[in-house]
């Protein structure tokens, strides 16, 4: 029976830590971590083997640290008007010495991640748009640069509707911009803005 406890505990902790650390702290992974950690504490302090306390405590500590670090980073994130962010991005992409490539993504908490390439320089910016929908911001910038009929834009909308988040990679050509999609390595759950009639 002891080996069964060991196998189950190690398997559950490994799965939950993978969900929390690699994919980001989502409501589902947070709830799973709390349930598994709570069961480990209950069994370790009560009728189960005492060594269950160690993986349970480790799981709860990692989950709490991830939660507080995420909350701290979002609290420090700059808040910028969505229309201003869009205007700055488009002006920079359309200037002669502007970005050669732009990668856009909406994080699960609503922040917009913007990776830019200028020749040999790469820079990442993260902003929390206010006064507008972050998903609309990504779609509008994509439509302005690659065209409203870009296949990647239609695929982005379809994947979001199916529950999968994507990165939009915009690349500057000689005369036009092209758009492509890449998978998100962290949480693939799309952000659902409450106040947007299109994406809520």
């Amino acid at each position: 029976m002891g080996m069964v406890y060991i196998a189950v505990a190690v398997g559950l902790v490994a799965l939950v830590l993978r969900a929390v650390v690699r994919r980001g702290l989502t409501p589902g992974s947070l709830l799973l971590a709390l349930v598994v950690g709570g069961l480990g504490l209950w069994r370790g302090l009560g009728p189960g083997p005492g060594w269950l306390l160690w993986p349970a405590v480790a799981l709860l500590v990692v989950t709490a640290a991830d939660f507080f670090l995420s909350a701290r980073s979002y609290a420090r994130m700059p808040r910028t008007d969505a229309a201003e962010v869009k205007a700055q991005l488009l002006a920079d992409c359309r200037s002669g010495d502007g970005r050669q490539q732009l990668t856009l993504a909406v994080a699960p908490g609503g922040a917009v991640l913007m990776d830019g390439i200028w020749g040999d320089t790469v820079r990442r910016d993260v902003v929390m748009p206010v006064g507008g929908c972050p998903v609309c911001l990504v779609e509008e910038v994509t439509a302005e640069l690659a065209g409203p009929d870009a296949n990647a834009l239609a695929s982005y909308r379809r994947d979001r509707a199916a529950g999968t988040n994507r990165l939009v990679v915009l690349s500057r050509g000689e005369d036009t911009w092209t758009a492509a999609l890449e998978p998100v390595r962290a949480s693939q759950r799309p952000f659902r803005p409450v106040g947007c009639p299109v994406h809520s």
Side-chain angles (χ1 to χ4, degrees):
M1 192 66 177
M3 292 304 295
V4 173
Y5 276 126
I6 293 174
V8 171
V10 170
L12 285 176
V13 170
L15 286 174
V16 175
L17 285 177
R18 180 179 183 273
V20 170
V21 176
R22 290 189 60 189
R23 298 192 174 189
L25 196 61
T26 63
S29 64
L30 176 61
L31 179 61
L32 184 60
L34 293 177
V35 169
V36 172
L39 287 174
L41 289 178
W42 170 63
R43 297 295 293 178
L45 292 172
W51 60 262
L52 276 175
L53 285 174
W54 294 107
V57 169
L59 175 61
L60 292 174
V61 167
V62 170
T63 303
D66 193 20
F67 177 80
F68 287 114
L69 287 174
S70 298
R72 185 179 179 184
S73 66
Y74 275 112
R76 293 184 171 186
M77 199 172 296
R79 268 62 176 171
T80 310
D81 183 73
E84 182 180 341
V85 174
K86 175 184 172 182
Q88 289 177 349
L89 282 175
L90 291 176
D92 184 48
C93 290
R94 288 170 173 164
S95 67
D97 56 350
R99 301 172 191 249
Q100 303 300 310
Q101 189 178 80
L102 171 65
T103 301
L104 296 172
V106 180
V112 176
L113 286 68
M114 304 173 290
D115 287 357
I117 298 178
W118 296 261
D120 297 331
T121 304
V122 179
R123 191 182 78 202
R124 166 169 289 183
D125 297 308
V126 182
V127 298
M128 183 69 75
V130 294
C133 169
V135 183
C136 288
L137 171 63
V138 170
E139 291 185 357
E140 289 169 4
V141 170
T142 303
E144 289 274 358
L145 294 176
D149 299 325
N151 291 332
L153 183 56
S155 298
Y156 178 78
R157 290 170 173 158
R158 184 177 62 249
D159 290 345
R160 274 192 51 83
T164 304
N165 198 8
R166 290 284 184 257
L167 301 174
V168 179
V169 181
L170 295 156
S171 302
R172 185 199 295 255
E174 291 186 4
D175 300 315
T176 59
W177 284 75
T178 59
L181 298 183
E182 290 186 3
V184 174
R185 294 181 182 177
S187 174
Q188 295 189 359
R189 182 187 300 273
F191 175 68
R192 303 291 183 190
V194 177
C196 178
V198 179
H199 299 112
S200 60

